[in-house]
Amino acid sequence: MALSELNDRLRFVLVRTSHSGNIGSAARAMRTMGFDRLTLVAPQRFPDPEATALAAGADDVLAKASIQEDVVAGLAGTTFALGLSARRRGVNIPELDPREGVAQAIAAARRGEQVALVFGNERTGLENDELSRCHAMIRIPSVDDFSSLNLSQAVQVVAYELRSALLADEVTDAKSPEAVPDPDEVPADAEQLERFFTHLGQMLDDIEFHKGRSPVTIMLKLRKLFLRARPELRELRILHGILADAQRMAEIAHKKD
């Protein structure tokens, strides 16, 4: 598979970026490694002259950057998301080093999936609800007493690891036949999963599953379960049907009461 085709399946997502210069520096870091798909979620300032200046010629990356209001919209169309975090959070998802994460990202891209590398705000990183929408977390193994990388530096590390792995795979590809991904086997994307999680939450409320307890913990555990399972769209349709039937039976029971 051509590098350009794989690159088109890899997206860098910057969430709530405070300093527009970091957007430009991140664009430059991406462009030097051959990537140009950038999504900005709720940036504080963009477009901005400082972003253009620090992009140092990567104007094409900035020009076609997608700007979205929230993480769900920022991950629209993606089926595999990896969140970058400097430390463990309250969200219990698999933690990978950059090479492990990159290997999984490329494997997903080869299967025809759209992949997102998600980076948080410069000061706070990814919040728990943002990280919970990712399938795994990448942690760059910096020293414990000074673990804070600049946003664009983190982007550069991941972009470099991606390019190195893709160049190595290109040699292997030349020696082996290309496998054509089956579109029916591609997992549901982020928006489809969010609709399912909304439906799941509604169903649990309708059957009074929580019985007055907070639904937050159980929903986080269920989200983790289904993100790990990575259901296909046709599997989600079955699950939606089950949820709808459960809601219908709950409505009948409530009417009898």
Side-chain angles (χ1 to χ4, degrees):
M1 184 179 294
L3 275 180
S4 59
E5 188 174 353
L6 284 172
N7 288 354
D8 287 343
R9 296 176 183 170
L10 298 164
R11 178 192 313 180
F12 288 73
V13 180
L14 308 186
V15 181
R16 297 178 291 104
T17 311
S18 298
H19 306 292
S20 58
N22 282 330
I23 296 174
S25 296
R28 178 181 183 179
M30 291 168 54
R31 189 67 180 84
T32 60
M33 296 294 118
F35 302 104
D36 60 6
R37 296 190 65 201
L38 175 63
T39 297
L40 304 174
V41 174
Q44 186 165 316
R45 292 193 315 277
F46 188 81
D48 188 80
E50 188 177 2
T52 302
L54 290 180
D59 298 337
D60 54 335
V61 178
L62 296 182
K64 64 180 187 179
S66 171
I67 304 175
Q68 303 296 336
E69 292 184 357
D70 55 39
V71 173
V72 174
L75 294 178
T78 62
T79 54
F80 187 54
L82 292 166
L84 274 287
S85 181
R87 56 193 179 279
R88 285 192 178 275
R89 297 281 191 160
V91 180
N92 186 15
I93 59 176
E95 182 178 314
L96 311 170
D97 68 31
R99 290 184 185 174
E100 291 171 327
V102 159
Q104 292 194 21
I106 292 174
R110 287 187 173 279
R111 293 192 297 267
E113 299 187 46
Q114 290 289 325
V115 179
L117 289 310
V118 188
F119 300 77
N121 172 270
E122 296 93 330
R123 186 176 63 84
T124 61
L126 289 170
E127 301 291 350
N128 281 357
D129 65 322
E130 295 162 347
L131 199 56
S132 72
R133 288 171 167 78
C134 298
H135 296 87
M137 179 181 83
I138 292 179
R139 183 174 181 272
I140 297 172
S142 53
V143 295
D144 292 337
D145 64 342
F146 199 71
S147 62
S148 180
L149 278 176
N150 176 270
L151 171 59
S152 62
Q153 292 172 335
V155 170
Q156 186 74 79
V157 169
V158 174
Y160 168 77
E161 291 290 353
L162 277 170
R163 181 157 180 80
S164 296
L166 287 170
L167 288 174
D169 284 354
E170 193 175 33
V171 176
T172 304
D173 285 348
K175 300 176 182 177
S176 59
E178 181 178 327
V180 179
D182 183 347
D184 289 335
E185 295 179 355
V186 175
D189 69 26
E191 282 187 316
Q192 292 158 347
L193 281 171
E194 285 304 318
R195 286 195 291 272
F196 168 71
F197 290 135
T198 299
H199 193 182
L200 177 60
Q202 292 169 346
M203 185 277 295
L204 292 176
D205 288 339
D206 290 345
I207 66 172
E208 300 178 1
F209 177 82
H210 302 296
K211 296 180 174 60
R213 295 168 296 185
S214 171
V216 174
T217 300
I218 190 66
M219 283 304 300
L220 282 174
K221 289 184 179 297
L222 289 172
R223 180 182 287 274
K224 177 187 173 185
L225 169 65
F226 284 105
L227 285 176
R228 185 171 66 241
R230 308 193 65 214
E232 300 164 6
L233 182 56
R234 58 188 170 187
E235 293 170 333
L236 275 194
R237 291 194 188 102
I238 294 171
L239 291 169
H240 275 296
I242 294 170
L243 298 181
D245 274 355
Q247 289 175 301
R248 181 173 58 83
M249 296 304 294
E251 185 178 1
I252 292 171
H254 290 153
K255 286 179 178 178
K256 286 182 179 178
D257 292 341

